[in-house]
Amino acid sequence: TGMGHLRVTKEGLRLEGESEFLFPLYAKEIHSRVDSSLLLQSTHNVTVNARNSHGEVTGRLNVGPKMVEFHSQQFQINSKDGKPLFTVDENEVVIGTDKLRVTGPEGALFEHSVETPLVKAEAFKQLRLESPTRSLSMDAPRGINIKAQAGNIEALSQMDIKLQSSDGVLLLDAETVRLPKLPEGTRGSSGVSQGLYEICVCPDGKLYLSVAGVGSTCQEYSRVCQ
């Protein structure tokens, strides 16, 4: 029936307490008792290998004192109902959950481009996109929509902010458009503009510059407005 902590039962071999194997152990299944967990421990590391019919290692899990390593063509974590939650291979990393939460105080850091259909902050939280030392670029073939339903949208820059449209128009659709820090020129002698310009508005809202004069040089039916 066995010896010491080793017992022979109809299910196989049963070990009680802690056991140490000095040479390789070959078994089809290794499981713990119903009321306890299975513990594998070593003074160096614990390595689990999977081999093919030729004896070649096709997968390896190495649990060391400072690092956990996994060597295989693909690594996947599934939920209890079999849904893939996290998949890694040589080409990509796929996160299959409905929500990706990054709880670090500095947020998420991406060395290269990020492709996503939606960037959204938590409820009652601010969304901030920032590039401290380089530029921030957002590209979309069919348009970019930035919306704040219950607050303001701010764009801050140390240098210039450029709004450019290659084929269309730049539309500022608001009840009031203000330029509070626009410098004002002083009135000089007649016929001397001093390199100053007047901002004119067409009936349809288009803006254009006109060389400043003693009086207003804006024309309601200017060629720019046609």
Side-chain angles (χ1 to χ4, degrees):
T1 59
M3 61 181 181
H5 296 293
L6 179 65
R7 293 287 183 268
V8 180
T9 65
K10 62 180 179 180
E11 288 85 10
L13 298 180
R14 181 188 182 101
L15 288 173
E16 300 290 346
E18 297 183 2
S19 300
E20 180 179 356
F21 296 91
L22 301 180
F23 297 97
L25 172 66
Y26 299 91
K28 183 178 180 180
E29 293 182 9
I30 300 177
H31 57 85
S32 65
R33 295 175 52 178
V34 178
D35 56 347
S36 63
S37 59
L38 179 63
L39 174 64
L40 301 176
Q41 64 181 10
S42 171
T43 57
H44 296 285
N45 56 46
V46 176
T47 302
V48 179
N49 292 332
R51 301 178 181 271
N52 56 17
S53 58
H54 302 287
E56 300 172 345
V57 177
T58 57
R60 174 178 298 166
L61 176 63
N62 190 348
V63 181
K66 296 183 179 180
M67 182 180 296
V68 177
E69 295 180 326
F70 182 80
H71 301 268
S72 183
Q73 294 182 351
Q74 187 182 62
F75 175 75
Q76 183 168 307
I77 299 177
N78 297 331
S79 63
K80 61 181 181 180
D81 56 354
K83 178 183 177 182
L85 300 179
F86 184 78
T87 304
V88 180
D89 57 25
E90 295 181 356
N91 299 321
E92 63 181 3
V93 177
V94 179
I95 300 177
T97 58
D98 297 332
K99 180 182 295 185
L100 173 62
R101 183 181 298 272
V102 181
T103 58
E106 299 298 331
L109 174 64
F110 301 95
E111 295 290 342
H112 301 286
S113 62
V114 178
E115 182 177 351
T116 176
L118 177 63
V119 178
K120 182 180 180 181
E122 288 187 275
F124 307 106
K125 299 290 184 179
Q126 292 184 352
L127 176 63
R128 184 175 181 179
L129 303 178
E130 180 180 359
S131 179
T133 59
R134 294 295 185 267
S135 61
L136 177 63
S137 176
M138 291 186 295
D139 300 325
R142 301 187 61 181
I144 297 176
N145 184 16
I146 302 176
K147 181 186 298 184
Q149 297 180 347
N152 300 328
I153 295 178
E154 295 184 3
L156 304 177
S157 174
Q158 183 179 359
M159 301 298 291
D160 298 334
I161 296 179
K162 298 181 180 180
L163 302 177
Q164 181 178 356
S165 177
S166 58
D167 297 329
V169 298
L170 180 61
L171 178 62
L172 301 177
D173 188 0
E175 181 179 355
T176 303
V177 177
R178 297 179 179 177
L179 303 174
K181 295 185 179 181
L182 190 67
E184 296 182 1
T186 58
R187 181 174 179 177
S189 58
S190 177
V192 179
S193 63
Q194 299 178 346
L196 300 178
Y197 295 87
E198 182 180 1
I199 296 180
C200 303
V201 183
C202 298
D204 60 355
K206 182 185 296 184
L207 300 178
Y208 69 94
L209 295 179
S210 178
V211 178
V214 177
S216 175
T217 59
C218 295
Q219 301 179 9
E220 182 178 359
Y221 298 100
S222 171
R223 291 184 303 172
V224 181
C225 299
Q226 302 301 320

